[in-house]
Amino acid sequence: MGPEVVTIESDTTLPASTDVVVIGGGIVGASTALALSRKGIAVTLCEKGVIGAEQSSRNWGWVRKNGRDAREIPLMLESMRIWHGLGPLEQADTGFKVTGVLSVALTEADQARHERWAENARIWQTGSRVIGSSEIAALLPGATRSFRSALYNATDARAEPQKAAPAIAAAARARGAHILQSTAVRGLDIAGGQVRGVFTEKGRIACNAVVVAGGAWSRLLLGNHDLTLPQLKVLASVARTSPIAGLPDVSAYTGKVAFRKRDDGGYNFAQSGTVVAPIVPDTIRFLPKFLPALRAERRALKPRLDHRFIEALRQKRHWAMDQATVFEQVRTLDPKPVAALLKQAEEAFLSLFPKAAGMTVVQTWGGMIDVMPDAVPTISPVPGVEGLIVATGFSGHGFGIGPGAGQLAADLATGTDPVVDPMPFRWSRFTDGSKLQIDVGF
């Protein structure tokens, strides 16, 4: 079972028409709905299950500028502005708190990479800097080992993934957005090269624009319309503990374990940077595009051939709008976590913090992360289909950047000046001959 998300009310009536339909009730979809409702645009959000139940509630809960791909930093700065305003402006309880984020350097090469990143990021005034062992020790009370240096940002934050997307969706609903849960979108109504509406399991909704924010499901939905999104999925595993006193407030990436304090006094932890990459038919289809990323992240990615290959092979790629779909069959994507990785992370956490010896691991869960070949999201109109916007492929960076991504998607859907330059996130970067840039992150 995945983490328990905060439940919110749904609208019960399917509108005959709206200005914009948002497909997907994760943090990006919810943020898009909120941004549109703030503009006074009629918006309907359709979620096949419940708001925030998939990866948006299963991530680490970090809200960071620290160590981001340079292409994401302007959008992350906008996201941070929105995060700060969600409580005061929208009465949205997201659990947002400024507690800092640090990533330690285990080697001289790590430190050099951090120093380059901090120097290059100075133009954005992110607040990140490289700190030494004494400052790290003060930020990690009770740690049994010292670290040579770390990339640290005191203005970075954390939020509660089980609260955030529902709170943002509820804020959008309070501003007039229609929020429809248990309402799967089967496909798009496209005529004359333009979006005319969507077909849901409960009927058609006419609209002028659609934002596909379907996370791990986006490729399948778009593929039914012969739109090829080079997207794969990787499996991340997370655990949460009972409350533990005397441990750090800062969120940290320490080489063997990453952790974040929770509002309830417990901690989320995970094996630092290690994810399982299920081998499926799309892995073979998109291998040439993903090879640079696979080489750059070969230590973090663990390929696995399992039942998912046959399941994906049997999965329908095309269907009619009057047919039930996998979106109705799988209301919540709830993969099993990888127990061995979480055991390694738990041992590393206890080794680093002996004070945690009496803790209980209350829950573990898995989440499917939607990834792109360059590990940067696609937030873009789709060439050849007027009114279709895609906001997906956040590659494990989507929680913190979600509010800004939703604002950008809303701007693109309404033809207004985009909050940041959307060029780095364009759909066509995978087909226009551009050389893909791979950033190994922390």
Side-chain angles (χ1 to χ4, degrees):
M1 293 288 292
E4 184 176 350
V5 298
V6 172
T7 58
I8 65 168
E9 289 188 34
S10 284
D11 291 284
T12 57
T13 303
L14 194 78
S17 64
T18 191
D19 291 330
V20 182
V21 170
V22 177
I23 302 174
I27 194 161
V28 176
S31 295
T32 302
L34 177 58
L36 288 166
S37 63
R38 282 175 166 176
K39 291 173 180 280
I41 303 297
V43 55
T44 299
L45 185 155
C46 296
E47 164 55 46
K48 64 183 175 62
V50 299
I51 298 295
E54 295 191 337
Q55 184 56 23
S56 288
S57 63
R58 296 162 186 258
N59 60 83
W60 294 357
W62 292 15
V63 181
R64 65 174 175 90
K65 303 178 291 292
N66 214 30
R68 278 200 181 264
D69 188 296
R71 291 164 289 185
E72 293 183 349
I73 292 176
L75 195 56
M76 187 61 225
L77 294 173
E78 174 63 15
S79 296
M80 193 64 81
R81 183 190 68 78
I82 297 171
W83 276 109
H84 277 278
L86 285 169
L89 297 177
E90 307 293 346
Q91 290 75 56
D93 178 12
T94 64
F96 178 79
K97 289 182 175 62
V98 175
T99 55
V101 168
L102 68 83
S103 173
V104 305
L106 299 178
T107 66
E108 186 176 340
D110 290 340
Q111 181 172 333
R113 187 174 69 253
H114 290 166
E115 289 171 346
R116 286 194 303 271
W117 188 93
E119 179 61 28
N120 292 336
R122 285 179 63 189
I123 60 171
W124 290 290
Q125 298 181 328
T126 64
S128 295
R129 60 193 179 91
V130 175
I131 62 174
S133 57
S134 60
E135 282 190 82
I136 298 170
L139 290 165
L140 300 179
T144 56
R145 63 162 295 182
S146 61
F147 298 95
R148 59 184 299 137
S149 67
L151 183 64
Y152 173 59
N153 193 314
T155 65
D156 279 352
R158 69 180 192 233
E160 292 301 326
Q162 293 83 47
K163 294 181 178 180
I168 294 168
R173 188 169 184 263
R175 287 182 174 269
H178 279 80
I179 305 296
L180 300 173
Q181 300 178 92
S182 298
T183 305
V185 172
R186 291 175 173 175
L188 311 175
D189 184 2
I190 301 172
Q194 182 173 345
V195 166
R196 305 290 184 180
V198 301
F199 296 101
T200 81
E201 63 181 300
K202 299 174 182 177
R204 180 180 180 273
I205 305 173
C207 62
N208 302 316
V210 171
V211 176
V212 176
W217 298 98
S218 299
R219 163 159 166 70
L220 187 61
L221 178 71
L222 293 166
N224 189 46
H225 299 280
D226 297 321
L227 299 169
T228 302
L229 180 72
Q231 181 187 64
L232 295 176
K233 300 185 283 289
V234 297
L235 171 62
S237 302
V238 182
R240 72 177 177 94
T241 76
S242 57
I244 311 169
L247 265 60
D249 283 334
V250 69
S251 302
Y253 180 104
T254 67
K256 291 185 178 181
V257 63
F259 58 86
R260 182 218 17 128
K261 189 174 183 179
R262 299 169 54 91
D263 273 356
D264 60 15
Y267 283 77
N268 281 6
F269 67 79
Q271 222 273 357
S272 290
T274 301
V275 293
V276 168
I279 298 172
V280 295
D282 276 349
T283 309
I284 300 167
R285 292 185 184 106
F286 296 138
L287 186 59
K289 293 184 182 297
F290 276 87
L291 268 178
L294 291 172
R295 292 190 185 105
E297 299 283 1
R298 60 188 179 275
R299 294 181 181 175
L301 289 171
K302 305 296 183 186
R304 173 179 288 184
L305 182 62
D306 58 19
H307 64 281
R308 293 178 180 86
F309 187 93
I310 298 300
E311 288 176 358
L313 198 62
R314 292 174 175 169
Q315 173 63 54
K316 279 187 177 180
R317 292 287 173 177
H318 291 88
W319 54 86
M321 295 301 104
D322 60 354
Q323 295 177 329
T325 66
V326 68
F327 309 126
E328 292 133 272
Q329 296 163 3
V330 184
R331 296 290 178 179
T332 301
L333 189 58
D334 187 26
K336 290 183 179 180
V338 180
L341 291 179
L342 289 178
K343 184 62 176 175
Q344 292 172 18
E346 181 181 355
E347 290 171 353
F349 190 65
L350 290 170
S351 176
L352 185 60
F353 296 112
K355 286 184 179 180
M359 74 178 190
T360 301
V361 175
V362 176
Q363 189 181 19
T364 64
W365 60 78
M368 298 306 295
I369 297 173
D370 45 318
V371 297
M372 304 304 291
D374 55 359
V376 170
T378 294
I379 312 170
S380 172
V382 177
V385 186
E386 185 177 348
L388 179 58
I389 310 298
V390 170
T392 193
F394 285 82
S395 304
H397 313 159
F399 182 70
I401 210 170
Q407 182 65 58
L408 178 56
D411 293 343
L412 295 172
T414 54
T416 53
D417 289 340
V419 67
V420 300
D421 181 6
M423 183 64 68
F425 313 116
R426 67 194 184 282
W427 172 282
S428 62
R429 71 187 188 271
F430 303 113
T431 57
D432 62 8
S434 300
K435 183 178 179 181
L436 295 186
Q437 174 188 337
I438 308 297
D439 188 328
V440 297
F442 280 144

